[in-house]
Amino acid sequence: MYLRDRGQCSALDESGQKCQSRRFLEVHHMLPLAQGGKDELENLTLLCSGHHKALHEDSIFDFSQMAVGRVDPPKA
């Protein structure tokens, strides 16, 4: 997951740009364990602590605003 997400938060802003945060990353279950989600790569993503907190408390973005599984080309 860390390699897939390139060690970066997977939240996207309004223009579709990926959050640049590479610090204070937390694992997020897209489908919670309590709702039948699994600890499998397809159900996990990295979020910075700010976006993770916002997702759970403020609901400022939804799952469509995450670059889960999207692989961006490496920057030169």
Side-chain angles (χ1 to χ4, degrees):
M1 169 189 42
Y2 188 86
L3 291 175
R4 180 201 64 202
D5 293 346
R6 297 190 183 255
Q8 185 174 345
C9 178
S10 62
L12 301 176
D13 67 15
E14 300 81 29
S15 65
Q17 295 298 309
K18 198 171 179 183
C19 174
Q20 297 297 305
S21 182
R22 295 181 181 276
R23 298 179 64 198
F24 308 110
L25 298 175
E26 301 173 356
V27 175
H28 173 71
H29 289 84
M30 294 180 290
L31 180 62
L33 296 173
Q35 295 177 6
K38 306 273 188 223
D39 284 325
E40 297 175 350
L41 184 60
E42 298 80 23
N43 191 43
L44 303 172
T45 193
L46 290 176
L47 292 174
C48 66
S49 59
H51 279 119
H52 199 200
K53 180 180 178 182
L55 178 66
H56 286 285
E57 292 181 2
D58 303 327
S59 299
I60 63 165
F61 63 94
D62 60 28
F63 294 118
S64 66
Q65 292 176 295
M66 292 194 301
V68 178
R70 185 177 95 181
V71 177
D72 297 323
K75 294 182 180 178

